[in-house]
Amino acid sequence: MAAHLSYGRVNLNVLREAVRRELREFLDKCAGSKAIVWDEYLTGPFGLIAQYSLLKEHEVEKMFTLKGSRLPAADVKNIIFFVRPRLELMDIIAENVLSEDKRGPARDFHILFVPRRSLLCEQRLKDLGVLGSFIHREEYSLDLIPFDGDLLSMESEGAFKECYLESDQTSLYHAAKGLMTLQALYGTIPQIFGKGECARQVANMMIRMKREFTGSQNSIFPVFDNLLLLDRNVDLLTPLATQLTYEGLIDEIYGIQNSYVKLPPEKFVPKKQGDGGKDLPTEAKKLQLNSAEELYAEIRDKNFNAVGSVLSKKAKVISAAFEERHNAKTVGEIKQFVSQLPHMQAARGSLANHTSIAELIKDVTTSEDFFDKLTVEQEFMSGIDTDKVNSYIEDCIAQKHPLIKVLRLVCLQSVCNSGLKQKVLDYYKKEILQTYGYEHILTLYNLEKAGLLKPQTGGRNNYPTIRKTLRLWMDDVNEQNPTDISYVYSGYAPLSVRLAQLLSRPGWRSIEEVLRILPGPHFEERQPLPTGLQKKRQPGENRVTLIFFLGGVTFAEIAALRFLSQLEDGGTEYVIATTKLMNGASWIESLMEKPF
Amino acid sequence: MDCYTANWNPLGDSAFYRKYELYSMDWDLKEELRDCLVAAAPYGGPIALLRNPWRKEKAASVRPVLEIYSASGLPLASLLWKSGTVVSLGWSAEEELLCVQEDGGVLVYGLHGDFRRHFSMGNEVLQNRILDARIFHTEFGSGVAILTGAHRFILSANVSDLKLRRMPEVPGLQGAPTCWTALCQDRVAHILLAVGPDLYLLDQSACSAVTPFGLAPGVSSFLQMAVSFTYRHLALFTDTGYIWMGTASLKEKLCEFNCNIRAPPKQMVWCSRPRSKERAVVVAWERRLMVVGDAPESIQYKQLTIQVLLDRLVLRRLYPLAIQICEYLRLPEVQGVSRILAHWACYKVQQKDVSDEDVARAINQKLGDTPGVSYSDIAARAYGCGRTELAIKLLEYEPRSGEQVPLLLKMKRSKLALSKAIESGDTDLVFTVLLHLKNELNRGDFFMTLRNQPMALSLYRQFCKHQELETLKDLYNQDDNHQELGSFHIRASYAAEERIEGRVAALQTAADAFYKAKNEFAAKATEDQMRLLRLQRRLEDELGGRFLDLSLHDTVTTLILGGHNKRAEQLARDFRIPDKRLWWLKLTALADLEDWEELEKFSKSKKSPIGYLPFVEICMKQHNKYEAKKYASRVGPEQKVKALLLVGDVAQAADVAIEHRNEAELSLVLSHCTGATDGATADKIQRARAQAQKK
């Protein structure tokens, strides 16, 4: 069912099975028929763990969305609330329970907190007089959700904002808990590296939690060789740039949510003759995107410019395969052909879908504005004219292009210049407030607090040093047959991934100077293993590194890491974990504040 | 050699019995047991006696005395009973003695007569008193069921997790039932009671009349009932001298017997017959004992596991023996030695003659980091004995903050609890302590505490942002955080204020704060916004329509769209909209209006700071090629080709590109040569290219 999770070097199906088991056990505690009342935000991530069929097997008969006032009528014995531990949700739950009490036969209420039980929330329920109504109050430690064979995400939307703007480390605590769960399943990770303030905190929490669990000695042979914790604010640049991989562009243009994308339906109408365009579907086409789909696994991480040739080659192979039927003469040959038919039809369907998606993307990427925007981005990243007002940005504002696009570009310029000159910064800010409205002053302040937008202090621009030392800009990029990670942004090598690459070889000691310029401490911790569990690597065997992005990661960065994993002489394979899968737009949006 | 059958006496037709003494009781009882309340713990556990239970005189000599003996009668404890009248005694599964008082209070004592805790069976009982009580055992623990003076039943199925359940009323019940018992079926506790000839089963929601299967007729009253230890079987004794034995569900009869004795028996209990799996009921009168049985018990219960055995040794303070057994059985540390040591430590903290330091050190030396030992449990015990300092010392050894914090709060060491919570990184724990502190301290002290804990402060700010906005303001004020205060008042100007004056006033406060924060930009921007708001208000009054909360840019656009060009100009000047943006703005607005005349006039008002390509683009966007062509001629050389292509003049575009000798422009034009008439142009370009290559 989720076979693609076991394709990688680390079988993440083990984790999925573990969390499914935990869910089943909880459901069985509440004997009898059940209705689940969902915190709406959780339904997406839960879909990756358990389909409705699993819930149904455990007598879940009804599902509702958590809303104020009364629950819809349901003839069930148990009502279970699946919620994140948030005070405002507790108020709604109390309202539900109190109005239910006045009505008809008593039911059993339960709460499942995801990912953690909260004393604060229980106190609120107590104050509202409903705490005693719940028979089971438990937690479901769904911290890291497996998205793909090498990808885990907490899907914690507000993590970056909480960590870097509000000094609220709740999501870091959950990250540390998630890492403890991983270690319980995959063995203690012997080495921890990190860069950044949040990384330091997570490592500290892990070490502390390990001490708390003394006694339950972990006897599992370690699967991961090391863990690299990276703060998003060590590399604020990468997510701001437009991703140029296939998957990255799908995300940039349509947004991928919990591995699903919704696309305009027109392109997906099966072409039939004589059907003159009537009955066009109005509902968006929803597709799941993961490596379970063979073709997608092949093209997702390619630079978009290299996707077309793969698709046309695939098309030839598939039509040749269908032509084979004319050669099938004997019964045996026909039988063989027929047996392959389902697989071929699936491949043809997949090809049709991705050809349509590629056409949709191409419409965008060949537009003049996309080209202009990309040109400006690339100028900034290669260090050209970052210290003065950019006329493209000015024109975007004057034409009232989407605010997020403008903010993204201004932030990119600021980051690529280690902050803007005060005059330039004030000019942009004033233009934005006058054009889009004064209320955005709150958003601008948030961006400043996060360090995305700032005045240059001390008149020093460190970015060129960082760019040169880490070779962030590569002029000779090969989009078709890449030799370096810079292909994912057609020239720019993501800083975060470069740090990972350099850690693996030759080690961070070679870039001490740059590490000191980047924010936050860098460190290394060892977690001792009992002698029986120490790994003796076979010659030529790759190390497995778990890389955890605290504050979010983009699909282009993931693509770059997969590229490194696949290198013949790379020496390291990566499993990627993050607080949230994101892109520049969703990231900026999470930092925006709308007072009305 | 004695004959094997010596000393055996016949019992009925098929069985024999003999009497021999297993051991003699070591006790030296002066009273008869009949004058005492007696409770014996299961599995050969201790025996509790309450002497003179019903005397209420104040004289100490005749006060009731509570005595505890081992199963063989060794005295373990003796104490004067100073509390209320005891209705019933019973032992819990953990060998704690539960003394149920008439007033509903239940006092809990340990094996050695040490007072543990007390709880109440509810306020209702205070008035009505308790008539009768039963202590019963379920798989969850031990429960208490009581019958109140108002003839209602109240029960708690597990006294360690006290939840009182008031059972439904029995219809028509005037007096006390003739007999009753607590039952446990399907993991739920029930009450079975007899009122004259009727039996009722009470569960949480209903009272239902029940009839035992195959009950002999003629019964007018049930005098006694007994349930077996496992709650599987039930025996009923009726006023006809008839005994019914069956399953506790009453659905199956195992046997019946008529003993022809009509007097109510003193006692009736289930027992096992020696060396057989059969179960039987022993019925006792004043001078007569009767064994009735024929109920085969197929399942053997092994409730006395090794864990329970160890618990019992520990309760009797035989720690070394318990540890030896653990080692001999090679039990895992967590289940074995660690647990015994933890118990030992709990006992150790009660030794009041040893100093806190010594006890803490002794415990840590023995326990160290032994897995599975909970220092917080031990600390809780120390606190329970009134040794707070010792508890704090012990908590230092506890690695799990989740365990440290609640106890520290209980001991009113909230500030210490706060730093422990922060250390753990568990924000929920920090919040819990914070809310505790907030209630415990006065506001000033609370704020001061926050000030010293930045992590807690930022969390509390988040809490206030959603829950207590006014407090948030106070926090910023305390820290002289003018920047945040400014933002705070901006939010207030949108959220809290409806009237324009109020909004402007809030913004004024914000602007003042920004000045204090030396954020000139924000202060000026805020003042501009105040000005704009007032102006928008005036526009609404004078011109009608919606202006409030539009951006400056959109306000100007709206004015142009409404034909108020003068006002628009004025506004742009007042707020110093840069020329370039103003041109874009006007261009867009006039094109939207399709006011081509005005657009042309505007284009000629002075040299365009944005060039003329945008004019071409916007006219084409409105599908007005005629107007577009007017501007195409004015586009500068750099963008000329683009402009000509936009208006569809491919031939001229080719000429310009050839003139420019610009390869990029040439291929751009070539890519536009798609029409049937473009063939000549394409050839022209190819020729120009070829020529360029020759050179």
Side-chain angles (χ1 to χ4, degrees):
Chain A
M1 198 161 91
H4 62 290
L5 296 181
S6 52
Y7 292 162
R9 180 74 186 275
V10 177
N11 183 356
L12 294 183
N13 232 344
V14 172
L15 173 65
R16 185 169 183 270
E17 282 309 318
V19 289
R20 280 163 70 89
R21 195 181 324 121
E22 206 186 320
L23 181 62
R24 285 197 210 102
E25 280 167 8
F26 172 75
L27 290 173
D28 288 343
K29 269 188 205 164
C30 315
S33 56
K34 315 169 179 57
I36 295 181
V37 185
W38 288 95
D39 170 354
E40 206 167 8
Y41 185 79
L42 291 176
T43 50
F46 256 79
L48 295 165
I49 297 301
Q51 271 81 25
Y52 184 48
S53 56
L54 180 142
L55 301 175
K56 226 168 165 178
E57 277 165 31
H58 295 264
E59 295 180 83
V60 175
E61 292 174 1
K62 290 262 166 66
M63 311 238 260
F64 307 120
T65 304
L66 184 64
K67 286 199 284 257
S69 76
R70 273 178 161 206
L71 289 169
D75 184 21
V76 290
K77 187 163 174 295
N78 299 282
I79 292 180
I80 314 176
F81 294 91
F82 277 34
V83 287
R84 289 167 296 163
R86 295 188 166 214
L87 288 179
E88 62 272 18
L89 298 181
M90 298 306 114
D91 297 350
I92 301 177
I93 290 177
E95 216 178 308
N96 282 179
V97 171
L98 289 172
S99 57
E100 192 73 7
D101 271 355
K102 291 176 209 139
R103 182 165 75 174
R107 325 4 195 350
D108 289 349
F109 291 104
H110 317 274
I111 293 192
L112 189 63
F113 287 109
V114 187
R116 210 127 282 121
R117 232 175 122 163
S118 145
L119 295 166
L120 188 67
C121 287
E122 294 189 357
Q123 181 62 42
R124 171 60 66 97
L125 291 174
K126 198 172 172 187
D127 295 344
L128 294 168
V130 294
L131 187 69
S133 309
F134 297 98
I135 296 184
H136 291 295
R137 297 191 306 268
E138 305 212 354
E139 64 183 28
Y140 182 45
S141 336
L142 188 64
D143 292 303
L144 287 166
I145 303 159
F147 271 66
D148 221 312
D150 57 356
L151 182 59
L152 300 159
S153 172
M154 292 165 57
E155 283 309 284
S156 163
E157 212 170 16
F160 182 84
K161 187 176 181 187
E162 285 163 25
C163 292
Y164 300 98
L165 248 61
E166 298 167 346
S167 311
D168 174 353
Q169 40 172 271
T170 306
S171 51
L172 299 182
Y173 183 72
H174 293 171
K177 283 274 185 184
L179 284 164
M180 296 314 283
T181 309
L182 276 190
Q183 291 187 95
L185 293 171
Y186 299 99
T188 303
I189 306 175
Q191 252 181 319
I192 304 175
F193 298 93
K195 170 70 186 166
E197 208 56 65
C198 294
R200 183 66 264 184
Q201 285 187 37
V202 170
N204 287 350
M205 288 182 209
M206 284 174 70
I207 291 161
R208 197 190 155 82
M209 287 173 186
K210 185 156 190 270
R211 218 171 52 226
E212 292 192 5
F213 293 126
T214 50
S216 44
Q217 192 50 260
N218 191 338
S219 57
I220 295 172
F221 201 81
V223 174
F224 296 105
D225 295 281
N226 44 45
L227 165 67
L228 170 57
L229 294 161
L230 268 187
D231 273 35
R232 184 72 269 176
N233 83 336
V234 170
D235 172 16
L236 293 172
L237 195 165
T238 303
L240 292 169
T242 304
Q243 310 171 70
L244 296 176
T245 57
Y246 181 53
E247 187 166 41
L249 276 167
I250 296 177
D251 187 41
E252 293 276 348
I253 298 167
Y254 297 106
I256 301 176
Q257 296 288 342
N258 297 305
S259 83
Y260 284 91
V261 68
K262 283 183 183 163
L263 298 159
E266 306 85 56
K267 287 264 184 188
F268 296 89
V269 186
K271 280 168 196 139
K272 277 184 202 152
Q273 280 161 354
D275 196 23
K278 43 186 175 175
D279 297 334
L280 272 180
T282 46
E283 208 170 295
K285 171 93 174 171
K286 198 172 169 189
L287 283 176
Q288 188 169 25
L289 299 173
N290 60 36
S291 58
E293 189 184 350
E294 208 177 305
L295 175 61
Y296 189 62
E298 189 180 338
I299 57 176
R300 67 196 300 186
D301 299 318
K302 289 198 184 303
N303 185 294
F304 182 64
N305 287 334
V307 168
S309 58
V310 177
L311 290 179
S312 60
K313 244 182 258 163
K314 265 275 142 51
K316 276 178 206 142
V317 171
I318 289 174
S319 52
F322 275 97
E323 285 307 309
E324 281 291 304
R325 70 169 177 264
H326 300 304
N327 301 338
K329 296 279 189 291
T330 68
V331 175
E333 283 167 352
I334 292 170
K335 218 171 167 182
Q336 163 121 29
F337 177 80
V338 170
S339 74
Q340 286 170 350
L341 213 52
H343 179 249
M344 283 160 57
Q345 275 164 341
R348 188 162 63 179
S350 163
L351 178 69
N353 280 341
H354 288 290
T355 309
S356 301
I357 298 175
E359 280 169 15
L360 284 167
I361 292 177
K362 200 161 179 224
D363 288 347
V364 176
T365 55
T366 51
S367 74
E368 200 173 331
D369 187 61
F370 187 88
F371 177 80
D372 291 347
K373 181 181 74 167
L374 207 60
T375 309
V376 171
E377 283 183 10
Q378 301 217 333
E379 279 173 8
F380 288 160
M381 290 189 290
S382 52
I384 299 168
D385 287 343
T386 49
D387 59 348
K388 53 187 184 200
V389 173
N390 179 283
S391 63
Y392 174 74
I393 297 180
E394 247 185 322
D395 286 354
C396 285
I397 297 173
Q399 296 173 67
K400 263 195 108 176
H401 282 200
L403 176 59
I404 290 185
K405 173 184 174 185
V406 169
L407 292 175
R408 210 170 150 175
L409 284 167
V410 175
C411 289
L412 181 67
Q413 186 179 353
S414 170
V415 172
C416 291
N417 198 53
S418 303
L420 296 167
K421 281 186 185 157
Q422 191 71 51
K423 227 177 66 190
V424 175
L425 178 62
D426 285 354
Y427 177 78
Y428 279 139
K429 277 162 68 178
K430 188 171 178 184
E431 281 295 278
I432 288 168
L433 295 186
Q434 284 198 352
T435 309
Y436 297 92
Y438 165 77
E439 67 273 18
H440 298 290
I441 194 168
L442 297 172
T443 297
L444 291 175
Y445 178 53
N446 283 348
L447 295 174
E448 285 182 63
K449 269 204 281 190
L452 280 163
L453 195 59
K454 59 177 187 186
Q456 203 179 72
T457 45
R460 252 187 74 105
N461 179 1
N462 287 321
Y463 178 68
T465 316
I466 300 171
R467 188 185 70 229
K468 281 171 208 149
T469 318
L470 300 182
R471 292 180 303 122
L472 297 186
W473 187 257
M474 306 295 275
D475 282 320
D476 50 346
V477 57
N478 186 338
E479 290 170 349
Q480 304 292 330
N481 296 301
T483 51
D484 181 71
I485 55 171
S486 54
Y487 85 92
V488 297
Y489 288 97
S490 295
Y492 166 72
L495 193 160
S496 55
V497 182
R498 197 62 107 200
L499 285 180
Q501 188 183 11
L502 288 165
L503 174 68
S504 136
R505 199 176 294 172
W508 274 356
R509 205 162 289 175
S510 60
I511 50 163
E512 283 280 343
E513 193 195 342
V514 167
L515 285 174
R516 269 198 300 277
I517 299 173
L518 296 170
H522 58 282
F523 59 88
E524 179 185 347
E525 297 281 351
R526 277 170 197 277
Q527 303 199 95
L529 291 174
T531 37
L533 295 181
Q534 276 161 19
K535 202 168 178 178
K536 288 180 198 73
R537 206 169 319 116
Q538 305 298 319
E541 189 189 339
N542 285 341
R543 270 179 306 210
V544 183
T545 293
L546 175 63
I547 175 167
F548 203 131
F549 289 85
L550 300 164
V553 71
T554 64
F555 287 107
E557 284 168 301
I558 294 168
L561 286 164
R562 287 186 182 141
F563 169 80
L564 292 179
S565 292
Q566 282 157 16
L567 280 185
E568 290 268 325
D569 54 350
T572 303
E573 285 176 57
Y574 294 93
V575 172
I576 304 133
T578 183
T579 50
K580 178 87 180 87
L581 294 168
M582 60 151 190
N583 60 42
S586 64
W587 188 32
I588 298 281
E589 180 148 33
S590 77
L591 295 171
M592 287 177 77
E593 190 174 337
K594 293 157 194 142
F596 68 92
Chain B
M1 201 174 130
D2 279 345
C3 178
Y4 282 124
T5 53
N7 305 331
W8 288 90
N9 302 310
L11 176 70
D13 296 334
S14 57
F16 292 85
Y17 77 95
R18 67 172 171 170
K19 266 166 54 177
Y20 64 96
E21 189 166 272
L22 291 169
Y23 55 83
S24 61
M25 297 296 277
D26 272 345
W27 60 23
D28 180 22
L29 286 186
K30 294 189 183 68
E31 281 87 356
E32 282 202 46
L33 283 176
R34 80 164 85 178
D35 297 330
C36 304
L37 272 179
V38 185
Y43 311 109
I47 301 168
L49 294 181
L50 187 67
R51 283 158 40 191
N52 309 325
W54 301 286
R55 301 268 171 83
K56 286 180 182 168
E57 290 89 348
K58 289 196 174 141
S61 61
V62 283
R63 266 192 193 157
V65 178
L66 178 65
E67 291 178 340
I68 299 174
Y69 296 94
S70 77
S72 59
L74 281 174
L76 296 173
S78 167
L79 50 125
L80 263 187
W81 187 258
K82 294 176 190 167
S83 295
T85 311
V86 175
V87 177
S88 181
L89 288 182
W91 291 94
S92 76
E94 294 84 28
E95 294 196 318
E96 284 183 325
L97 180 63
L98 307 174
C99 310
V100 186
Q101 298 190 138
E102 201 181 45
D103 62 0
V106 181
L107 306 182
V108 184
Y109 288 88
L111 189 55
H112 299 277
D114 43 320
F115 176 74
R116 294 274 168 86
R117 65 202 148 91
H118 77 96
F119 58 87
S120 161
M121 293 302 289
N123 292 332
E124 181 183 347
V125 192
L126 269 178
Q127 298 168 358
N128 294 325
R129 325 300 285 175
I130 290 182
L131 292 182
D132 197 2
R134 299 269 195 283
I135 282 91
F136 58 98
H137 306 284
T138 70
E139 58 192 281
F140 306 115
S142 303
V144 177
I146 59 163
L147 171 63
T148 73
H151 310 303
R152 291 293 293 263
F153 287 93
I154 297 175
L155 68 79
S156 161
N158 181 3
V159 292
S160 11
D161 178 19
L162 194 70
K163 274 184 192 139
L164 293 179
R165 280 165 42 197
R166 195 163 182 265
M167 306 305 262
E169 209 170 340
V170 180
L173 182 63
Q174 298 296 328
T178 40
C179 55
W180 65 278
T181 185
L183 285 178
C184 202
Q185 285 173 349
D186 301 333
R187 311 169 24 152
V188 183
H190 304 276
I191 301 283
L192 182 69
L193 70 147
V195 184
D198 302 317
L199 285 176
Y200 295 98
L201 190 67
L202 295 181
D203 63 22
Q204 199 163 357
S205 53
C207 166
S208 32
V210 286
T211 316
F213 177 82
L215 181 79
V219 174
S220 58
S221 179
F222 292 94
L223 300 181
Q224 184 70 270
M225 59 176 73
V227 62
S228 71
F229 191 72
T230 58
Y231 294 100
R232 300 180 138 251
H233 299 126
L234 184 81
L236 298 163
F237 188 92
T238 74
D239 59 344
T240 51
Y242 165 83
I243 299 172
W244 181 94
M245 289 164 68
T247 57
S249 62
L250 301 173
K251 285 182 181 144
E252 207 179 315
K253 182 167 71 180
L254 300 170
C255 79
E256 57 189 344
F257 181 72
N258 201 323
C259 68
N260 292 319
I261 303 170
R262 287 164 183 244
K266 274 210 80 166
Q267 226 183 338
M268 179 163 80
V269 290
W270 286 82
C271 68
S272 269
R273 293 175 66 185
R275 276 183 287 278
S276 88
K277 286 179 181 174
E278 286 173 19
R279 305 221 88 198
V281 169
V282 182
V283 195
W285 289 265
E286 202 69 26
R287 304 196 156 275
R288 205 196 295 258
L289 198 71
M290 185 180 283
V291 183
V292 181
D294 193 28
E297 176 82 31
S298 52
I299 300 163
Q300 283 247 310
Y301 282 86
K302 284 193 178 169
Q303 293 208 356
L304 193 62
T305 59
I306 186 68
Q307 291 302 337
V308 178
L309 174 68
L310 289 173
D311 282 348
R312 304 217 144 184
L313 289 174
V314 161
L315 277 173
R316 286 156 183 78
R317 294 174 191 156
L318 300 169
Y319 304 107
L321 178 60
I323 288 179
Q324 275 174 14
I325 291 177
C326 292
E327 283 167 354
Y328 179 75
L329 293 173
R330 299 207 181 122
L331 289 181
E333 274 194 319
V334 179
Q335 293 166 28
V337 176
S338 316
R339 223 160 51 95
I340 312 280
L341 284 174
H343 280 293
W344 164 80
C346 287
Y347 168 62
K348 187 84 186 162
V349 298
Q350 295 169 40
Q351 294 180 340
K352 305 221 165 160
D353 47 333
V354 188
S355 76
D356 292 343
E357 282 77 19
D358 291 346
V359 174
R361 201 177 316 119
I363 288 177
N364 185 237
Q365 263 169 16
K366 264 232 167 66
L367 273 63
D369 288 335
T370 316
V373 167
S374 164
Y375 278 97
S376 54
D377 286 354
I378 305 168
R381 186 61 66 87
Y383 175 62
C385 307
R387 300 183 74 169
T388 309
E389 287 310 315
L390 174 58
I392 292 172
K393 287 200 166 62
L394 288 168
L395 274 183
E396 282 300 318
Y397 300 119
E398 172 64 64
R400 294 166 299 169
S401 348
E403 304 291 317
Q404 290 174 320
V405 171
L407 186 59
L408 285 170
L409 284 181
K410 212 164 143 193
M411 299 193 297
K412 305 227 178 319
R413 301 299 158 113
S414 318
K415 287 184 190 175
L416 187 56
L418 183 60
S419 40
K420 292 288 173 201
I422 290 171
E423 251 174 59
S424 76
D426 182 348
T427 45
D428 182 54
L429 212 51
V430 179
F431 269 127
T432 308
V433 182
L434 280 177
L435 296 190
H436 208 92
L437 274 171
K438 191 181 147 206
N439 293 329
E440 196 180 277
L441 302 176
N442 69 43
R443 207 172 159 87
D445 289 348
F446 178 53
F447 279 17
M448 200 42 104
T449 312
L450 286 178
R451 233 183 156 159
N452 298 326
Q453 298 281 11
M455 184 255 197
L457 178 60
S458 21
L459 278 183
Y460 190 63
R461 275 198 205 116
Q462 288 315 306
F463 174 80
C464 291
K465 213 172 195 171
H466 298 114
Q467 306 286 333
E468 286 178 27
L469 271 178
E470 277 309 299
T471 313
L472 182 65
K473 192 169 74 182
D474 297 344
L475 282 170
Y476 289 143
N477 264 320
Q478 172 188 270
D479 296 344
D480 290 328
N481 193 337
H482 299 295
Q483 175 65 40
E484 289 292 353
L485 272 173
S487 298
F488 179 90
H489 289 293
I490 292 175
R491 279 183 210 110
S493 85
Y494 286 102
E497 291 291 346
E498 286 281 322
R499 294 165 313 117
I500 212 78
E501 298 78 15
R503 293 183 57 175
V504 170
L507 288 177
Q508 183 63 60
T509 324
D512 294 347
F514 287 134
Y515 277 120
K516 281 189 196 149
K518 300 206 162 46
N519 186 342
E520 196 103 349
F521 175 86
K524 286 259 156 55
T526 307
E527 284 169 349
D528 278 353
Q529 175 64 7
M530 291 159 58
R531 213 146 52 95
L532 182 64
L533 269 181
R534 288 203 195 97
L535 208 133
Q536 286 173 330
R537 183 50 186 276
R538 224 171 48 230
L539 290 175
E540 284 192 0
D541 287 348
E542 292 171 13
L543 307 176
R546 281 290 292 167
F547 283 95
L548 274 176
D549 284 324
L550 293 182
S551 70
L552 174 65
H553 191 95
D554 292 348
T555 308
V556 178
T557 304
T558 310
L559 283 172
I560 296 176
L561 290 177
H564 310 288
N565 286 332
K566 283 247 171 67
R567 293 242 195 182
E569 290 287 345
Q570 187 61 41
L571 200 57
R573 257 199 309 281
D574 287 354
F575 284 89
R576 289 197 216 142
I577 294 183
D579 224 16
K580 271 166 81 174
R581 180 151 57 84
L582 187 60
W583 273 69
W584 273 111
L585 187 161
K586 277 192 179 173
L587 168 67
T588 317
L590 292 174
D592 273 354
L593 281 175
E594 302 191 33
D595 190 344
W596 308 115
E597 205 176 316
E598 190 66 32
L599 184 65
E600 191 169 356
K601 240 198 285 174
F602 168 58
S603 76
K604 287 174 179 162
S605 60
K606 66 173 191 179
K607 188 173 177 285
S608 163
I610 56 174
Y612 293 91
L613 185 62
F615 284 77
V616 178
E617 282 169 340
I618 210 144
C619 292
M620 287 310 292
K621 219 164 140 193
Q622 302 280 7
H623 311 290
N624 193 334
K625 203 183 222 177
Y626 175 77
E627 290 293 327
K629 280 189 170 168
K630 285 186 192 168
Y631 301 106
S633 58
R634 293 162 70 182
V635 173
E638 272 181 34
Q639 292 172 318
K640 194 84 173 191
V641 172
K642 233 187 204 176
L644 289 168
L645 287 176
L646 268 173
V647 299
D649 197 341
V650 184
Q652 209 188 331
D655 290 344
V656 176
I658 291 167
E659 192 185 321
H660 286 174
R661 292 184 188 158
N662 182 321
E663 179 51 38
E665 283 181 3
L666 285 172
S667 19
L668 184 66
V669 178
L670 203 55
S671 70
H672 278 75
C673 292
T674 47
T677 52
D678 296 334
T681 315
D683 292 345
K684 202 168 163 188
I685 293 174
Q686 299 294 14
R687 276 200 303 278
R689 269 188 167 170
Q691 243 172 5
Q693 268 170 4
K694 267 182 212 160
K695 284 175 187 173

